[in-house]
């Protein structure tokens, strides 16, 4: 996989435009003094990050995006989908940038993602 220019960066590597991570800091005035959820806070970071990198960033996940508290990503993109979309389907898009699969093995083996 490392020899593939799409997988190793090389000449195709581009900087991501990132929001300031400090904007997502959670105030913890004392141990146990916050009830925030780490994954939910991280999930609110990704839409802002993705919205600035719509042509060079994909989100990959080995499980259901919303159950992992990353559902805010759907404010800026949908799940990649190449089959029929019917009424009642949620967040599916032919140009979606969320790659979601319910198999950790596929994520471990690696997917070749092109822009």
């Amino acid at each position: 996989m490392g020899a593939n220019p799409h997988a190793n960066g090389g000449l195709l590597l581009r900087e991501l435009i990132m929001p300031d991570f400090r904007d997502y800091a959670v105030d913890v005035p004392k141990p146990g003094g916050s009830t925030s959820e780490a994954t939910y806070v991280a999930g609110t970071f990704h839409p802002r990050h993705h919205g600035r990198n719509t042509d060079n960033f994909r989100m990959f996940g080995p499980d259901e995006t919303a159950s992992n508290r990353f559902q805010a990503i759907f404010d800026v993109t949908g799940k990649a989908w190449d089959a029929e979309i019917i009424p009642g389907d949620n967040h599916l898009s032919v140009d979606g940038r969320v790659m979601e699969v319910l198999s950790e093995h596929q994520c471990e083996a690696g997917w070749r993602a092109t822009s």
Side-chain angles (χ1 to χ4, degrees):
M1 222 171 115
N4 181 328
H6 294 281
N8 72 9
L11 297 176
L12 303 176
L13 189 63
R14 293 189 312 187
E15 290 287 324
L16 293 176
I17 303 166
M18 301 293 288
D20 189 342
F21 67 89
R22 290 172 285 243
D23 293 343
Y24 298 86
V26 173
D27 184 40
V28 182
K30 62 180 183 171
S34 174
T35 58
S36 67
E37 300 172 47
T39 53
Y40 181 80
V41 173
T44 62
F45 172 85
H46 281 283
R48 206 160 145 217
H49 165 261
H50 177 79
R52 299 173 181 194
N53 301 282
T54 57
D55 65 340
N56 66 338
F57 179 80
R58 289 184 187 262
M59 176 183 255
F60 286 78
D63 201 345
E64 220 288 314
T65 304
S67 70
N68 287 316
R69 310 293 282 147
F70 280 82
Q71 67 269 21
I73 191 72
F74 298 129
D75 292 343
V76 294
T77 190
K79 300 174 191 176
W81 193 254
D82 62 359
E84 180 183 6
I85 299 172
I86 59 174
D89 284 340
N90 292 319
H91 311 296
L92 302 181
S93 174
V94 295
D95 61 352
R97 305 295 289 181
V98 176
M99 307 295 286
E100 183 178 275
V101 64
L102 295 176
S103 171
E104 288 82 356
H105 300 293
Q106 287 181 351
C107 291
E108 289 170 6
W111 284 342
R112 189 189 107 171
T114 57
S115 65

